[in-house]
Amino acid sequence: MGNTKSVQGGVKADRAPVAVRSLLQQGLVIPAHPLALTAERRLDEKYQRALTRYYHASGAGGIAVGVHTTQFEIREPAHGLLQPVLQLAVNTLQDCDQRSGRTTVRIAGICGEIGQAMSEALLARELGYQVGLVALRGFSEKSEEDLVEHCRQVAQILPIMGFYLQAAVGGRRLSYRFWRRLCELEGLAAIKVAPFNRYQTQDVLRAVVDSGRGDVALYTGNDDNILLDLLCPGPTEGKAGRASGRFVGGLLGQWAVWTAKAVSFLKDCTHLRQTAVPIPPAMFKLAAELTDANAALFDAANGFGGCIAGIHEALRRQGLMRGVWCLNPRETLGPGQLEEIDRIWAAYPHLRDDEFVERHRDSWLS
């Protein structure tokens, strides 16, 4: 994997390969891959494979697997789904890439204390994943120095994407100083910024600019503010000189649905930002509509309790999932969420890619 050296009989990933860094810096649509289940809550390989094909056909430049949207419970021994789900996605992507001549960036979620995290990083690297998205959930008692060291050790195995996870799903407050220290890790390839908080988002942008790390790609994970994040130029003047603090793409649960439209939206935002023309009022309207739709799909009214089931419901309506089942039987649509999804479904048909899905769904399911 690019520039590497031996460490304890294995391979140390000092940096992400140049090609992977280049793709990330171009700006990609990266869906957070859901988990398709049968009514018995077992892996539905047919529909899981179809989802991966859908994302690839939509023009997604990367796919993240084993992340929150994939359900952290896949790691539990009772389910034992981490390796099968990671493997299925890689096999499907390799086939899609070979047929299309494209290269899709493969990102694996990395969770747990350092022993588990390093084991997951080794597995991901062995399976062909190129970047590890490090989730620092459940570490409320650890210092920020401990968290930086945790990321450093994982980055010795697999280049990493930093992850500011919102508190509602297990994240914690992380200071500007943490992100500034994280930028000192050579193995840091990108950061997903998803605190759903403008002040905390700004902390990350400023830290990257102050570090002078022009090779760290910034990805929005703020599903409540997607288009405005992508349109905002971000800070450019830092302590280390000029560097960009703008978002280039997104790694989002929201982009696990209506993905073909997401690709179109990113292209529009990138064009507007690069040409520096005045942003049309229609884009601000679209941004507000997407946020409203996301509030329904992510169950914001109930503290995001139904966020995964809401994604499943959207995919179910398009024929890309059989149902909204999650591994945890208690994880389902929140009170009033179905009615909210009905509302935004009727209000914003232009946000959906129904016709695209209808044309290709049978081939993805074959």
Side-chain angles (χ1 to χ4, degrees):
M1 286 185 61
N3 300 325
T4 58
K5 63 183 179 181
S6 174
V7 56
Q8 294 181 348
V11 176
K12 178 179 177 179
D14 286 323
R15 295 176 59 83
V18 173
V20 173
R21 280 192 181 266
S22 177
L23 286 170
L24 287 170
Q25 290 163 13
Q26 288 173 24
L28 307 173
V29 166
I30 305 178
H33 204 307
L35 181 68
L37 297 175
T38 66
E40 295 76 30
R41 303 184 196 276
R42 296 190 178 91
L43 177 63
D44 190 334
E45 292 193 12
K46 178 179 179 179
Y47 278 78
Q48 188 75 2
R49 188 179 296 109
L51 285 173
T52 307
R53 291 170 174 168
Y54 161 54
Y55 299 135
H56 190 277
S58 296
I63 293 180
V65 189
V67 294
H68 173 246
T69 305
T70 324
Q71 302 177 45
F72 290 131
E73 289 86 353
I74 62 174
R75 295 165 170 81
E76 294 178 0
H79 303 299
L81 286 176
L82 179 63
Q83 181 165 346
V85 168
L86 291 176
Q87 184 73 70
L88 183 59
V90 161
N91 291 347
T92 306
L93 283 176
Q94 288 174 340
D95 180 66
C96 290
D97 278 351
Q98 185 174 14
R99 292 172 184 270
S100 65
R102 287 166 46 193
T103 300
T104 304
V105 177
R106 300 182 294 276
I107 300 171
I110 306 296
C111 293
E113 297 282 351
I114 192 59
Q116 176 184 339
M118 294 183 75
S119 176
E120 290 189 9
L122 285 166
L123 172 65
R125 189 184 69 190
E126 180 182 337
L127 293 176
Y129 285 83
Q130 299 146 316
V131 179
L133 179 68
V134 183
L136 300 174
R137 61 191 297 268
F139 292 167
S140 60
E141 302 303 317
K142 291 186 179 295
S143 71
E144 290 189 343
E145 290 296 322
D146 291 335
L147 300 184
V148 172
E149 175 62 18
H150 179 96
C151 292
R152 186 193 67 79
Q153 292 189 50
V154 175
Q156 289 183 316
I157 298 171
L158 187 69
I160 65 169
M161 176 180 277
F163 186 9
Y164 206 157
L165 178 66
Q166 67 155 321
V169 292
R172 58 173 276 185
R173 175 79 168 85
L174 295 167
S175 70
Y176 161 87
R177 184 174 180 273
F178 167 81
W179 295 107
R180 182 64 183 81
R181 287 291 313 280
L182 195 72
C183 286
E184 297 173 5
L185 301 183
E186 192 175 11
L188 180 69
I191 301 174
K192 171 181 173 173
V193 188
F196 286 40
N197 180 292
R198 305 320 300 159
Y199 302 112
Q200 294 168 13
T201 294
Q202 196 70 16
D203 283 343
V204 184
L205 303 185
R206 186 163 60 90
V208 173
V209 171
D210 286 349
S211 75
R213 285 290 298 272
D215 61 338
V216 174
L218 285 164
Y219 275 72
T220 180
N222 289 320
D223 301 74
D224 63 339
N225 202 64
I226 301 169
L227 297 189
L228 295 184
D229 270 355
L230 294 171
L231 289 168
C232 179
T236 57
E237 296 290 345
K239 298 175 183 177
R242 291 187 63 84
S244 175
R246 65 176 174 83
F247 289 106
V248 296
L251 194 169
L252 299 150
Q254 175 64 51
W255 282 358
V257 303
W258 312 339
T259 310
K261 286 297 182 75
V263 170
S264 176
F265 295 156
L266 177 59
K267 287 180 181 177
D268 290 343
C269 290
T270 302
H271 173 75
L272 288 169
R273 194 175 60 238
Q274 290 177 345
T275 56
V277 299
I279 299 172
M283 285 301 294
F284 293 108
K285 181 174 183 290
L286 186 67
E289 291 171 343
L290 188 57
T291 295
D292 187 29
N294 178 261
L297 294 175
F298 270 39
D299 196 26
N302 297 298
F304 304 98
C307 60
I308 293 178
I311 292 169
H312 291 185
E313 173 62 15
L315 293 168
R316 186 198 65 78
R317 293 183 183 209
Q318 291 186 303
L320 290 169
M321 271 195 173
R322 299 183 199 265
V324 303
W325 311 292
C326 295
L327 290 172
N328 181 350
R330 295 185 298 277
E331 190 163 0
T332 186
L333 294 171
Q337 187 180 7
L338 190 59
E339 291 77 11
E340 275 294 284
I341 294 175
D342 286 340
R343 178 184 65 81
I344 61 101
W345 209 267
Y348 309 125
H350 53 286
L351 298 181
R352 307 198 307 269
D353 56 2
D354 294 353
E355 293 182 4
F356 174 74
V357 172
E358 184 67 28
R359 287 199 308 271
H360 301 286
R361 184 179 56 232
D362 288 347
S363 65
W364 299 332
L365 286 166
S366 63

